[in-house]
Amino acid sequence: MGNGETFRIGVLGSGNGSNLIAIAEAIGRGEVPAEIVLVLSDVKEAEILQHAKRMGLMARHIAPGKYRTKLDEEAEKSYSCALQKADVDLVVLAGFMRVLKGELLKSFHGKVINIHPSLLPSFPGLEAWKQALDYGVKHTGATVHFVDQGIDSGAVIAQEPVPLLDGDTPESLLDRIHQAEHHVYPKAIADIAEGRIISKGRRTFRSPT
Ligand code: GRF
């Protein structure tokens, strides 16, 4: 930003909200020059909404519409509208289980990011940590990426590797991936808020100043 105004974040999630908490705590420690101005969820009872309210953040449920895995057209418009009204600079997906296809991606072109629990492009889609374990790779991790119309297919912003250990279960591996996420996501958001991330096609670069 650099003009003294606060960088405004909207967070979308469907589940536990551990990444929301990690981002909010990093902001609280002064590590991310930003403010969470809105939290939205497609799941009425989602813990992410409870956490947001407990932390004093503006939080709302917006119904996803008639599909199971994506927002319908009307719903995506409502999400986009709420985020525009809140004057959001960056849309942060944190466990949001709906694919975006239309209005929101258009209105916030290049300003929607996601965190995925693998080193993309390996293991896109659901239960990426289990996919990694079943495949037998030695390293997986967490990826922060821009969101496009595909599934986990946008340009990579940051990654943090996590080794697979001999005794790993899906649960123990996921636990370590979450720890990596809680570190890499706030850091990437800080870089974006500080204007350090430069995109050239699919490649992104982190400028030192
Ligand atoms: C994370 O593992 C993230 O990678 C995936 O969804 C999960 C969200 O966890 N996209 P939480 O709701 O932030 O705890």
Coordinates of all heavy atoms in Angstrom, one line a residue, residues 80 84 88-91 102-113 146-149 199:
S80 N -19.3 -11.3 -3.5 CA -18.5 -10.3 -4.1 C -19.0 -8.9 -3.6 O -18.2 -8.0 -3.3 CB -18.7 -10.4 -5.7 OG -17.9 -9.4 -6.3
Q84 N -16.9 -6.1 -1.6 CA -16.7 -4.8 -2.2 C -17.2 -3.7 -1.2 O -16.6 -2.7 -1.1 CB -17.5 -4.6 -3.5 CG -16.8 -5.3 -4.7 CD -17.6 -5.3 -6.0 OE1 -17.8 -4.2 -6.5 NE2 -18.0 -6.4 -6.5
V88 N -12.5 -4.3 0.5 CA -11.4 -5.3 0.7 C -10.3 -5.2 -0.4 O -10.6 -5.1 -1.6 CB -12.1 -6.7 0.7 CG1 -11.1 -7.8 0.4 CG2 -12.7 -6.9 2.1
D89 N -9.1 -5.2 0.0 CA -7.9 -5.2 -0.9 C -7.5 -6.6 -1.3 O -6.9 -6.7 -2.4 CB -6.7 -4.5 -0.2 CG -7.0 -3.0 0.1 OD1 -7.3 -2.3 -0.9 OD2 -6.9 -2.6 1.3
L90 N -7.8 -7.5 -0.4 CA -7.3 -8.9 -0.7 C -8.4 -9.9 -0.2 O -8.8 -9.7 1.0 CB -6.0 -9.2 -0.1 CG -5.3 -10.5 -0.3 CD1 -4.8 -10.6 -1.8 CD2 -4.1 -10.7 0.6
V91 N -8.7 -10.9 -1.0 CA -9.6 -11.9 -0.5 C -8.8 -13.2 -0.2 O -8.1 -13.7 -1.0 CB -10.7 -12.3 -1.6 CG1 -11.6 -13.4 -1.1 CG2 -11.5 -11.0 -2.0
G102 N -17.0 -17.1 -11.1 CA -17.6 -15.9 -11.9 C -17.3 -14.6 -11.3 O -16.1 -14.1 -11.2
E103 N -18.3 -13.9 -10.8 CA -18.3 -12.5 -10.4 C -17.2 -12.2 -9.4 O -16.5 -11.2 -9.6 CB -19.7 -12.2 -9.7 CG -19.9 -10.8 -9.3 CD -19.7 -9.8 -10.4 OE1 -20.0 -10.2 -11.6 OE2 -19.2 -8.7 -10.2
L104 N -17.0 -13.0 -8.4 CA -16.0 -12.7 -7.4 C -14.6 -12.6 -8.0 O -13.8 -11.6 -7.7 CB -16.0 -13.7 -6.3 CG -15.4 -13.2 -4.9 CD1 -16.1 -14.1 -3.8 CD2 -13.9 -13.4 -4.9
L105 N -14.3 -13.6 -8.8 CA -12.9 -13.6 -9.5 C -12.8 -12.4 -10.4 O -11.7 -11.9 -10.6 CB -12.7 -14.9 -10.2 CG -12.4 -16.1 -9.4 CD1 -12.0 -17.3 -10.2 CD2 -11.3 -15.9 -8.4
K106 N -13.9 -12.0 -11.1 CA -13.8 -10.9 -12.0 C -13.6 -9.6 -11.2 O -12.7 -8.8 -11.5 CB -15.1 -10.7 -12.8 CG -14.9 -11.1 -14.2 CD -16.2 -10.9 -15.0 CE -16.8 -12.2 -15.4 NZ -18.3 -12.2 -15.4
S107 N -14.4 -9.4 -10.1 CA -14.3 -8.1 -9.4 C -13.0 -8.0 -8.6 O -12.5 -6.9 -8.4 CB -15.4 -8.1 -8.3 OG -16.6 -8.3 -8.9
F108 N -12.4 -9.2 -8.2 CA -11.2 -9.1 -7.4 C -10.0 -9.8 -8.2 O -9.3 -10.7 -7.7 CB -11.4 -9.8 -6.1 CG -12.2 -9.0 -5.1 CD1 -13.6 -9.2 -5.1 CD2 -11.7 -8.0 -4.4 CE1 -14.4 -8.4 -4.3 CE2 -12.5 -7.2 -3.5 CZ -13.9 -7.4 -3.5
H109 N -10.0 -9.5 -9.5 CA -9.0 -10.1 -10.4 C -7.5 -10.0 -9.8 O -7.1 -8.9 -9.5 CB -9.1 -9.5 -11.8 CG -8.1 -10.2 -12.7 ND1 -8.4 -11.5 -13.2 CD2 -7.0 -9.8 -13.3 CE1 -7.4 -11.8 -14.0 NE2 -6.5 -10.8 -14.1
G110 N -6.9 -11.1 -9.6 CA -5.5 -11.1 -9.1 C -5.4 -10.7 -7.6 O -4.3 -10.5 -7.1
K111 N -6.6 -10.7 -6.9 CA -6.6 -10.3 -5.5 C -7.2 -11.4 -4.7 O -7.8 -11.1 -3.6 CB -7.3 -9.0 -5.4 CG -6.6 -7.8 -6.0 CD -7.5 -6.6 -5.8 CE -6.8 -5.4 -6.4 NZ -7.7 -4.2 -6.5
V112 N -7.3 -12.6 -5.2 CA -7.8 -13.7 -4.4 C -6.7 -14.8 -4.2 O -6.1 -15.2 -5.2 CB -9.0 -14.4 -5.1 CG1 -9.7 -15.4 -4.2 CG2 -10.1 -13.3 -5.5
I113 N -6.4 -15.1 -3.0 CA -5.4 -16.1 -2.7 C -6.0 -17.3 -1.9 O -7.0 -17.2 -1.2 CB -4.2 -15.5 -2.0 CG1 -4.5 -15.0 -0.6 CG2 -3.5 -14.4 -2.9 CD1 -3.3 -14.5 0.2
F146 N -2.3 -17.8 -6.0 CA -3.4 -17.0 -6.5 C -4.5 -17.9 -7.0 O -4.2 -19.1 -7.4 CB -3.0 -16.1 -7.7 CG -2.1 -14.9 -7.2 CD1 -0.8 -14.8 -7.6 CD2 -2.7 -13.9 -6.5 CE1 0.0 -13.8 -7.1 CE2 -2.0 -12.8 -6.1 CZ -0.6 -12.7 -6.4
V147 N -5.8 -17.5 -6.9 CA -6.9 -18.3 -7.3 C -7.3 -17.9 -8.7 O -7.5 -16.8 -9.0 CB -8.1 -18.1 -6.3 CG1 -9.3 -18.9 -6.8 CG2 -7.6 -18.6 -4.9
D148 N -7.4 -19.0 -9.6 CA -8.0 -18.8 -10.9 C -9.2 -19.7 -11.0 O -9.7 -20.3 -9.9 CB -7.0 -19.0 -12.0 CG -6.4 -20.5 -12.0 OD1 -7.0 -21.3 -11.3 OD2 -5.4 -20.7 -12.6
Q149 N -9.8 -19.9 -12.2 CA -11.0 -20.7 -12.3 C -10.8 -22.2 -12.1 O -11.8 -22.9 -11.9 CB -11.7 -20.4 -13.6 CG -12.2 -19.0 -13.7 CD -13.3 -18.9 -14.8 OE1 -13.4 -19.7 -15.7 NE2 -14.1 -17.9 -14.6
S199 N 4.2 -10.2 -10.1 CA 3.8 -11.4 -11.0 C 4.3 -11.1 -12.4 O 4.1 -10.1 -12.9 CB 2.3 -11.5 -11.0 OG 1.8 -11.9 -9.8

